[in-house]
Amino acid sequence: MNANTSRQHSAEWDQEAQLLSQTARDLPTGRHQFHKERLMAQIHEQVQREERTATTGMTAAAPQKARRFRLPRPAITLPAMAAALSAVVVAGVVTVGGDGSGVRDSGVATGPALTTDVGTASAKGVPQLLDQISLAAAEGDHPTVKPGQYIYIESVLADTFVKTVDDKSSLASHELHRRQIWESPDGVKGWLIDPAVNDSPEGETLTLPDEQGNTPKADLGSPSYDYLTKLTTDPDELLAKIYKETKGQGNTPDQQAFTTIGDLLAESYPPAELYPALFEAAAKIPGVVVVDDAVDAAGRHGVAVARLDDTSGQREEWIFDKKTHVYLGARNVQVKQLKEEGVLIKPGTVNFTMAIKNRVVVDGMKQAPSQAG
């Protein structure tokens, strides 16, 4: 991706715009928006990094009007759309909403920026805490997912973003809302209900192949349960694989490795044998710290395993119950002041927050845990 848009020939932009337009026509409205939300989130860090490191005198890319700092990543990709959207985002011509505000009518209300106290971080006690978390994960109830069953994950989440109305930008947030996702162990069938993404309250299918006939292969960035069962449980080998397969992603290799493990803890279902390896691998990443008090999106206080991204000034926190060491959720907190799109993001701004409310195995698509036999 090249931030110097002046070097992009107009014919190339026309071709990419046609690809995006064709892809959009082939997708139902809600599903197109779902993929656009995901892809915008996935390329956000890359766009930011290229904007910051563009050579003086080059024409910098105009940032998109609204963006999510982070979203959970369901195991679906659309390579053709990703290429088209990446090009358009760098050109600064993506319009997320049709009302000129840059914010689509998602069915989720907006309010002021989310804030919190920035907890004290310390490198002391990291190995001990991760050992306790590993033991708790190994001892927990973790049934194997059988063919025909589905992984059900219910969470609540909210985020802060830069909102632009009439060329005036300010920080805003999407209200805390419920998200439900079902996924088959092979990652081929699924369903999502999320008012920030769906056009219908009934949600939409994630079942593959998609409308283009693509059945993407699972990987670390979009894993299925079956894929996770095949990962090595040796912490050193696992961490080496993470570094290798995420090379070039994120702001630094260490931060991306930490983020990758964090994503696996959030909206996926790692097998019981893999959980301890994930935490032991995390303990080997430089810069990992403990935050004594952190609050998840449901208001539950816990202790956090965290790492500061020096480039963005944001600290990613995995939050665990202080007594049981069960995973509660995650959040992304601005620790160092940052200016984005002319807006000052102050320390204590919560860029993203989520809490896992339920993670179980059910016997049918869209089956609620209370309906499980």
Side-chain angles (χ1 to χ4, degrees):
M1 214 185 298
N2 193 336
N4 185 4
T5 57
S6 64
R7 295 184 182 180
Q8 183 89 14
H9 296 299
S10 60
E12 292 174 334
W13 283 115
D14 291 342
Q15 183 178 11
E16 287 159 346
Q18 289 171 7
L19 173 59
L20 175 61
S21 176
Q22 178 62 43
T23 307
R25 285 196 300 271
D26 291 340
L27 288 169
T29 303
R31 194 167 176 82
H32 173 237
Q33 184 62 46
F34 169 70
H35 290 301
K36 181 158 70 173
E37 291 271 0
R38 282 192 60 257
L39 292 165
M40 291 274 281
Q42 289 178 3
I43 63 180
H44 168 57
E45 288 185 357
Q46 178 69 18
V47 173
Q48 275 195 312
R49 186 168 66 255
E50 291 182 355
E51 287 173 352
R52 280 192 290 265
T53 57
T55 305
T56 303
M58 293 170 63
T59 303
Q64 63 267 38
K65 294 294 184 180
R67 56 168 68 111
R68 292 185 178 279
F69 284 88
R70 184 181 171 194
L71 276 178
R73 302 176 191 173
I76 292 182
T77 56
L78 275 181
M81 182 177 284
L85 278 172
S86 297
V88 178
V89 169
V90 174
V93 296
V94 166
T95 302
V96 183
D99 60 356
S101 67
V103 180
R104 81 180 188 91
D105 181 11
S106 65
V108 176
T110 58
L114 305 171
T115 60
T116 188
D117 293 329
V118 178
T120 302
S122 172
K124 185 179 179 180
V126 172
Q128 292 85 348
L129 176 60
L130 284 168
D131 281 345
Q132 292 172 324
I133 292 170
S134 296
L135 289 172
E139 294 172 356
D141 183 24
H142 210 86
T144 300
V145 189
K146 302 174 183 177
Q149 292 185 313
Y150 291 85
I151 298 154
Y152 170 80
I153 301 175
E154 177 185 350
S155 59
V156 290
L157 63 157
D159 67 313
T160 295
F161 60 95
V162 176
K163 179 179 180 180
T164 300
V165 179
D166 297 329
D167 295 326
K168 293 182 180 180
S169 297
S170 62
L171 284 182
S173 69
H174 287 112
E175 68 177 354
L176 188 70
H177 62 278
R178 183 189 191 199
R179 176 182 173 94
Q180 297 170 279
I181 190 167
W182 290 260
E183 186 178 49
S184 60
D186 60 7
V188 173
K189 295 181 181 180
W191 194 268
L192 173 71
I193 301 177
D194 185 339
V197 177
N198 306 141
D199 287 333
S200 166
E202 287 76 27
E204 58 193 284
T205 183
L206 303 180
T207 297
L208 300 173
D210 59 32
E211 291 80 357
Q212 304 302 309
N214 300 315
T215 304
K217 189 176 180 181
D219 57 26
L220 282 171
S222 52
S224 66
Y225 174 80
D226 289 349
Y227 171 84
L228 295 177
T229 63
K230 297 178 176 64
L231 285 180
T232 176
T233 56
D234 179 278
D236 292 308
E237 292 179 5
L238 180 60
L239 188 59
K241 179 180 177 65
I242 291 171
Y243 275 110
K244 180 180 179 181
E245 296 194 10
T246 62
K247 185 177 180 180
Q249 300 177 25
N251 288 326
T252 66
D254 292 335
Q255 188 63 38
Q256 184 58 38
F258 188 81
T259 296
T260 299
I261 295 175
D263 287 346
L264 295 179
L265 298 176
E267 201 166 80
S268 72
Y269 189 76
E273 300 79 12
L274 184 61
Y275 261 118
L278 289 172
F279 295 122
E280 290 174 36
K284 299 175 183 293
I285 300 174
V288 176
V289 297
V290 173
V291 179
D292 285 339
D293 187 54
V295 186
D296 71 6
R300 299 174 298 193
H301 286 256
V303 60
V305 176
R307 192 179 191 282
L308 175 65
D309 183 341
D310 287 323
T311 304
S312 66
Q314 299 172 13
R315 188 171 68 200
E316 181 175 343
E317 301 176 352
W318 311 337
I319 306 171
F320 300 86
D321 185 275
K322 291 183 179 180
K323 293 182 179 180
T324 66
H325 298 108
V326 170
Y327 178 82
L328 299 178
R331 67 178 184 178
N332 184 304
V333 178
Q334 195 72 37
V335 174
K336 297 180 180 179
Q337 188 167 284
L338 175 72
K339 199 167 189 178
E340 180 168 337
E341 301 183 29
V343 177
L344 196 63
I345 304 176
K346 298 179 180 179
T349 301
V350 179
N351 299 317
F352 175 82
T353 180
M354 62 85 68
I356 297 294
K357 301 293 287 183
N358 213 336
R359 187 188 332 236
V360 295
V361 178
V362 296
D363 292 326
M365 180 89 79
K366 293 189 282 184
Q367 181 186 75
S370 59
Q371 299 172 318

